Amino acid sequence: YHDIPVQAKLAMWILICTVIQKGISLITVPVFTRLMDTTEYGKVSIYFSWVNIASIITSFKLNAGVYNKGLSKFKEDRDGYCLSMQYTTTFFTVALLFVCLIFRDAVCSLTELSFGLILLMFVELLFNTSMGFWTVKKQYEFKYKQIVAGTLVLTFLNPLLGVLFVVNAPYEQRGTARILSTVLAISLVGLFFYIINMKQGKYKYKFAYTKFAVLFNIPLIPHYFSEYILNQSDRIMIQKLCSYSSVAFYSVAYNAGMLMTILTSSINQAITPWLYQSLDKKEFEKIGKVLMALSVAILIPMLIFIALAPEAVLILAGREYSSAAYVIPPVAGSVVFLFLYTNFANVEFYYDCNNFTMYISMIGAFLNIVLNFIFIKLFGYIAAGYTTFVCYFVYCAGHYLFMEHIIWRKFKKHLIDWKKLFGLFSIMVILMVGMSLLYNSMAIRYGVILVIVCCVILKRQVIIKSFNDFLQMREKKTNEN
């Protein structure tokens, strides 16, 4: 451990913190689903959905890609850039608050949240970016110990306050208590880092930094809005078309299904440097083979997780939520599309062709709203899982076609044969749907899991060799670079 580079230590600890955050979040789900009824749990989920949507306006996504770009561009004054971004998000937050005060009744009617919860939302929005700004800046300084300390404080403070507040609140007010505990935890930690950023930035504001970041992000805002619509609109539409209880069922299943992103995010983080280095050398065939192999590797634990969905929901939320298990297969399946389209988009970014991201995101968001409106009415909240699956497929297919267009136009070559992708997707859909039809047959499901595990054991030497070959290839690329 002491011999590995500080960059590797930073990446490792960020991964560990992410796993701990997701793990704590998962562990607390059974606690809160049993302390709150489904209506109160649904209200909490809706509140967080509106927070995520409002944060696009209040942060203007200045804590996203443009922040990293700015830290590189203004590396001689990173503290000043950090503070200027913080001041800018504060201005946007206060401006949106004034708009909501003016149209108070309309906002409450649209969100179906009380005005008190709207005010709590703005307190959270005011402080929820300061720690992120500080954390990313520390990544550039490779001070991972400080990052770990700050992350773990918030990771444990939020659920601890949540349990304390919820247990001591009247049963019909436990949703509000959970929201209040989250706002308090984020505000306490956020205020601390807000002051730290001000001190390190010497309280100075530079309009040039704001101008650069805002102008850079204006073309990307439709993409960010579309992304959040895809991730959050399903809950809001379930609330409008079904009930708060249905939102609770869907939220538990969706969060469980998206746990696979821990695996895919880690893989993406590991292969992105290798991907860019391989693109430098125009090794398209090798890139295609690695991406397809990794997709198959992700498919195996995904299928096992889908097979165990009824038991997972039972542990997470209890028998009252049992129908939510049918949401997990399409949501977990969407993770494969998410993994692939992220890498396809990275190829587009490498060749400075990122405008397509905005268009495909807007198409996906619009399609999601239309499909949700039609099929949630017909089949209930479970349909939202399948509309999510379809929209992520559209994302993936769109980015694949555009990426292949770029590679063909520049080099007259292909990265991945569409027939291989079609075969992978077809197998995934058959297995995904087939497994969901077996949820009432535990013996068959466990038999399928046993077969998969036996196949992995029998092919372990091939799997290990492939993994070692990739690591050696990546290490070789890094040394050459």
Side-chain angles (χ1 to χ4, degrees):
Y1 173 81
H2 293 290
D3 293 334
I4 65 175
V6 67
Q7 294 91 336
K9 291 180 181 177
L10 172 67
M12 182 184 72
W13 281 108
I14 289 175
L15 174 60
I16 290 172
C17 285
T18 301
V19 171
I20 292 174
Q21 284 178 312
K22 295 286 187 182
I24 294 295
S25 177
L26 179 64
I27 290 169
T28 56
V29 168
V31 177
F32 291 119
T33 53
R34 285 164 173 81
L35 289 175
M36 292 184 274
D37 64 26
T38 56
T39 299
E40 288 297 299
Y41 194 86
K43 287 181 180 178
V44 173
S45 299
I46 289 297
Y47 168 84
F48 288 125
S49 294
W50 283 112
V51 168
N52 288 330
I53 292 172
S55 69
I56 303 172
I57 301 172
T58 59
S59 70
F60 208 71
K61 298 303 289 183
L62 299 180
N63 55 342
V66 69
Y67 187 61
N68 288 277
K69 191 173 182 68
L71 290 175
S72 299
K73 182 180 177 67
F74 306 112
K75 56 186 175 184
E76 72 286 348
D77 187 25
R78 285 174 177 157
D79 291 333
Y81 181 74
C82 171
L83 182 58
S84 294
M85 295 301 98
Q86 183 170 281
Y87 282 152
T88 306
T89 59
T90 299
F91 171 77
F92 286 138
T93 303
V94 173
L96 184 61
L97 174 59
F98 274 114
V99 172
C100 289
L101 289 173
I102 295 171
F103 300 101
R104 170 178 172 172
D105 293 338
V107 170
C108 291
S109 176
L110 173 67
T111 61
E112 296 187 21
L113 298 173
S114 68
F115 188 65
L117 290 181
I118 297 295
L119 293 178
L120 282 177
M121 181 188 303
F122 277 97
V123 174
E124 180 177 343
L125 292 169
L126 184 64
F127 294 111
N128 69 356
T129 56
S130 55
M131 181 179 174
F133 286 137
W134 175 86
T135 299
V136 176
K137 187 183 67 173
K138 289 299 175 185
Q139 290 179 16
Y140 277 78
E141 300 169 2
F142 300 109
K143 294 181 179 178
Y144 57 89
K145 293 180 181 179
Q146 297 179 24
I147 295 173
V148 171
T151 302
L152 293 183
V153 167
L154 181 58
T155 298
F156 286 97
L157 181 63
N158 190 354
L160 287 175
L161 286 178
V163 173
L164 182 65
F165 277 49
V166 169
V167 167
N168 290 284
Y171 192 72
E172 68 277 3
Q173 294 294 323
R174 286 184 171 181
T176 302
R178 176 63 185 123
I179 292 169
L180 182 60
S181 67
T182 300
V183 173
L184 180 60
I186 291 175
S187 299
L188 288 173
V189 175
L191 178 61
F192 173 79
F193 286 107
Y194 199 107
I195 296 170
I196 291 294
N197 291 339
M198 289 177 66
K199 288 183 177 180
Q200 293 179 347
K202 299 178 181 178
Y203 306 96
K204 295 180 180 179
Y205 168 71
K206 293 187 178 180
F207 177 74
Y209 295 159
T210 297
K211 182 180 178 182
F212 158 77
V214 170
L215 290 177
F216 184 92
N217 261 16
I218 285 175
L220 294 173
I221 289 301
H223 161 66
Y224 291 127
F225 258 117
S226 301
E227 196 174 54
Y228 271 97
I229 287 172
L230 178 58
N231 293 330
Q232 305 297 332
S233 68
D234 41 15
R235 293 170 176 81
I236 295 171
M237 294 189 74
I238 290 170
Q239 172 207 352
K240 301 289 186 182
L241 299 174
C242 298
S243 64
Y244 278 114
S245 294
S246 295
V247 175
F249 297 153
Y250 181 79
S251 296
V252 167
Y254 186 91
N255 292 333
M258 281 294 168
L259 278 175
M260 288 291 297
T261 56
I262 298 176
L263 173 62
T264 56
S265 296
S266 303
I267 294 174
N268 278 329
Q269 196 173 44
I271 71 169
T272 298
W274 167 84
L275 175 65
Y276 278 21
Q277 291 158 11
S278 297
L279 288 170
D280 280 338
K281 294 184 174 294
K282 302 178 181 59
E283 296 175 334
F284 304 120
E285 184 179 351
K286 191 173 292 184
I287 293 172
K289 287 181 179 179
V290 169
L291 290 181
M292 287 300 298
L294 289 173
S295 299
V296 173
I298 293 169
L299 195 62
I300 295 171
M302 183 205 77
L303 184 60
I304 294 175
F305 183 72
I306 289 174
L308 295 172
E311 288 74 24
V313 171
L314 182 64
I315 294 170
L316 286 174
R319 294 191 182 280
E320 188 177 5
Y321 287 74
S322 59
S323 64
Y326 291 92
V327 176
I328 290 181
V331 173
S334 301
V335 174
V336 177
F337 297 142
L338 180 62
F339 166 75
L340 282 170
Y341 98 68
T342 300
N343 285 285
F344 296 160
N346 283 337
V347 175
E348 296 164 23
F349 294 158
Y350 176 84
Y351 292 111
D352 295 322
C353 299
N354 56 353
N355 288 335
F356 181 75
T357 299
M358 178 182 70
Y359 300 124
I360 191 64
S361 297
M362 293 174 67
I363 292 171
F366 177 76
L367 181 63
N368 184 251
I369 292 173
V370 172
L371 293 177
N372 277 336
F373 185 77
I374 296 171
F375 290 103
I376 290 175
K377 276 186 172 182
L378 293 174
F379 303 107
Y381 75 92
I382 294 175
Y386 287 91
T387 61
T388 298
F389 180 83
V390 170
C391 291
Y392 272 117
F393 170 76
V394 171
Y395 266 33
C396 187
H399 279 291
Y400 167 74
L401 293 173
F402 187 63
M403 175 201 68
E404 286 290 331
H405 169 72
I406 294 169
I407 300 297
W408 181 258
R409 186 186 64 193
K410 289 180 177 291
F411 308 106
K412 302 299 180 186
K413 291 186 177 181
H414 293 287
L415 197 73
I416 300 178
D417 187 347
W418 70 269
K419 294 176 183 177
K420 293 181 180 179
L421 274 182
F422 180 78
L424 174 69
F425 295 164
S426 299
I427 292 171
M428 181 175 71
V429 170
I430 292 170
L431 293 175
M432 181 185 79
V433 174
M435 193 59 68
S436 65
L437 295 175
L438 296 173
Y439 280 169
N440 293 324
S441 305
M442 182 183 293
I444 299 176
R445 285 191 288 113
Y446 278 55
V448 172
I449 295 173
L450 182 62
V451 170
I452 293 172
V453 172
C454 289
C455 290
V456 171
I457 293 173
L458 291 173
K459 295 291 184 179
R460 66 187 183 279
Q461 297 298 338
V462 176
I463 296 171
I464 293 171
K465 183 179 183 302
S466 300
F467 181 70
N468 287 335
D469 289 345
F470 171 71
L471 289 179
Q472 291 172 6
M473 187 166 52
R474 185 170 179 266
E475 183 178 0
K476 180 181 177 183
K477 296 287 183 186
T478 304
N479 293 334
E480 289 175 355
N481 192 48

